[in-house]
Amino acid sequence: MKEMDSQSKTSLKLQAYQYLKTKILNCEYRPNEFLNEQKLCAEMGNISRTPMRDALGRLEQEGLITILPKKGLMVSGITEEDVHSMFEMRLLVEPYALRTYGADIPREELEHIDDFCKADDDFHELLMSTLPNKYLRSAYDRITGLNTRFRIMTGKVSMINQEQTCEEHLEILNAALSDNWNTAADALQHHLELARDKAEGVIKVIRLW
């Protein structure tokens, strides 16, 4: 009986964590928005505060929420420094992963990418999929959430030039399919540098919203 209760509590903690994280990443809870713990519990069918607080603690550790003394819970904002740090991490990890472990990506997956022009997140995830270093992977996974939020927030200001992105992805893919991983990594670095420059310009516009 105690084991079943323990499993139930763990399940509720995980459900609460996944529910809140999805809402935050999709910007349904927007950056700098205040949240009410009691209302969050009600949203999830009046679950108790114990699993909710566990989920909120995990999200705070991941930098997705901030717990402010005497004020409550706030969805973490996205600053110019966050964007700069995000791309600094991506530029350190992604070209390295592709250059070092790209040959381990199954060729059939590279040959059958459904839409490498539009599915930017999926394309980059495939390029990172063979990275074996769990510490780099953990750090990288943390910033992908920030990248998702930033992408959704900036959709309305046309940050991405679809045609240009498609050309950049194709250059990376062609080099990868030729097993020229140094060229693929260099093309990926150039792609990320261009994305960084656009993003750092766009974040200044967002601050005006």
Side-chain angles (χ1 to χ4, degrees):
M1 184 69 176
K2 288 183 178 179
E3 184 177 347
M4 291 180 64
D5 289 343
S6 176
Q7 290 176 349
S8 177
K9 289 179 181 177
T10 300
S11 178
L12 280 175
K13 290 176 182 178
L14 183 59
Q15 287 178 41
Y17 167 76
Q18 292 176 337
Y19 174 83
L20 296 176
K21 186 169 184 176
T22 298
K23 291 276 190 178
I24 292 171
L25 294 184
N26 291 335
C27 290
E28 293 178 61
Y29 299 150
R30 295 188 62 78
N32 301 315
E33 177 180 345
F34 277 94
L35 303 176
N36 180 281
E37 184 181 304
Q38 188 173 353
K39 289 182 179 179
L40 293 176
C41 290
E43 278 185 36
M44 292 199 64
N46 292 313
I47 67 170
S48 70
R49 290 191 170 186
T50 300
M52 180 58 69
R53 286 178 176 173
D54 183 271
L56 291 170
R58 287 184 64 181
L59 293 168
E60 183 184 30
Q61 289 179 345
E62 293 178 14
L64 290 174
I65 68 166
T66 303
I67 299 177
L68 302 171
K70 299 182 180 180
K71 291 185 179 181
L73 311 166
M74 186 178 75
V75 179
S76 298
I78 299 177
T79 66
E80 290 182 54
E81 180 59 31
D82 290 328
V83 173
H84 176 79
S85 297
M86 175 180 72
F87 277 99
E88 184 176 26
M89 170 66 81
R90 294 187 69 185
L91 281 161
L92 285 170
V93 176
E94 290 191 40
Y96 166 78
L98 189 59
R99 180 176 283 110
T100 309
Y101 304 107
D104 296 331
I105 302 173
R107 188 174 183 85
E108 60 271 19
E109 292 191 30
L110 288 170
E111 291 175 340
H112 295 97
I113 298 175
D114 291 335
D115 193 339
F116 64 88
C117 290
K118 295 180 180 178
D120 188 72
D121 289 342
D122 292 341
F123 181 72
H124 284 269
E125 177 55 36
L126 175 59
L127 300 183
M128 287 288 297
S129 63
T130 54
L131 177 64
N133 186 313
K134 64 181 181 180
Y135 301 107
L136 282 179
R137 184 75 226 194
S138 177
Y140 183 82
D141 286 345
R142 178 168 175 171
I143 66 166
T144 57
L146 175 61
N147 188 55
T148 298
R149 295 171 70 209
F150 185 70
R151 183 185 303 282
I152 292 172
M153 286 175 60
T154 56
K156 65 180 67 176
V157 291
S158 301
M159 186 182 80
I160 297 175
N161 181 314
Q162 194 68 57
E163 183 177 350
Q164 180 181 348
T165 297
C166 187
E167 291 175 358
E168 292 164 12
H169 283 185
L170 185 59
E171 184 178 359
I172 298 165
L173 184 60
N174 284 339
L177 289 171
S178 299
D179 292 322
N180 194 333
W181 298 104
N182 284 327
T183 299
D186 290 343
L188 175 57
Q189 179 167 337
H190 181 62
H191 169 60
L192 290 172
E193 288 171 345
L194 293 176
R196 176 200 59 199
D197 293 345
K198 292 176 186 175
E200 290 183 345
V202 166
I203 192 66
K204 295 179 173 59
V205 177
I206 293 177
R207 290 174 59 191
L208 301 176
W209 294 1

